[in-house]
Amino acid sequence: MMAVPMSRERFEELVADALDSVPEQLLKLLNNVVILVEDESPPDGPRLLGRYEGYALTERGVDYGAVLPDRITIFRNPILSICRTDAEVAHEVSVTVVHEIAHHFGIDDARLHQLGWG
């Protein structure tokens, strides 16, 4: 399959659109999180579409504080490589953004797959 050609700027717009589609009530619950776009997933592991790094809200206790923000990273080239059209890219970005946000709320991969966000 040939990767969809798309500028980084357009891809970042799709990430912003995906975030805009998340209900405001959920976005307000995001706590100490930054969302980034990188071109490639880390070379030392599987080819990822997105990754959540940090402490899920369900893991934070009274001792949580003075920590760097959690990171949600959306990986541009891996997503582009599995899509054939711009519409597929937009869909995959949306699914990936929701998937990674769900990790922030403590939802694991198995449950996300059951819910259709895997």
Side-chain angles (χ1 to χ4, degrees):
M1 183 181 307
M2 180 116 174
V4 172
M6 181 177 290
S7 71
R8 183 179 177 97
E9 292 78 19
R10 176 65 183 135
F11 189 86
E12 288 174 353
E13 288 174 6
L14 293 177
V15 172
D17 291 346
L19 287 168
D20 288 344
S21 72
V22 174
E24 187 176 334
Q25 303 92 315
L26 287 179
L27 287 178
K28 286 181 179 180
L29 296 173
L30 289 178
N31 185 321
N32 199 28
V33 179
V34 63
I35 299 172
L36 307 166
V37 172
E38 295 290 339
D39 286 335
E40 296 293 344
S41 60
D44 57 344
R47 190 154 191 198
L48 302 172
L49 305 182
R51 179 169 63 180
Y52 172 76
E53 299 170 279
Y55 298 96
L57 293 177
T58 55
E59 297 173 359
R60 296 179 184 182
V62 295
D63 59 340
Y64 178 82
V67 298
L68 293 172
D70 292 2
R71 294 169 48 117
I72 291 174
T73 308
I74 308 301
F75 299 110
R76 185 172 74 95
N77 289 333
I79 289 176
L80 295 177
S81 73
I82 64 167
C83 297
R84 293 181 306 226
T85 66
D86 287 1
E88 285 182 9
V89 173
H91 174 76
E92 195 59 53
V93 165
S94 181
V95 169
T96 303
V97 166
V98 169
H99 182 103
E100 301 308 329
I101 288 174
H103 286 318
H104 176 70
F105 291 107
I107 302 171
D108 65 16
D109 282 329
R111 182 67 180 138
L112 284 167
H113 284 277
Q114 289 174 343
L115 296 170
W117 294 98

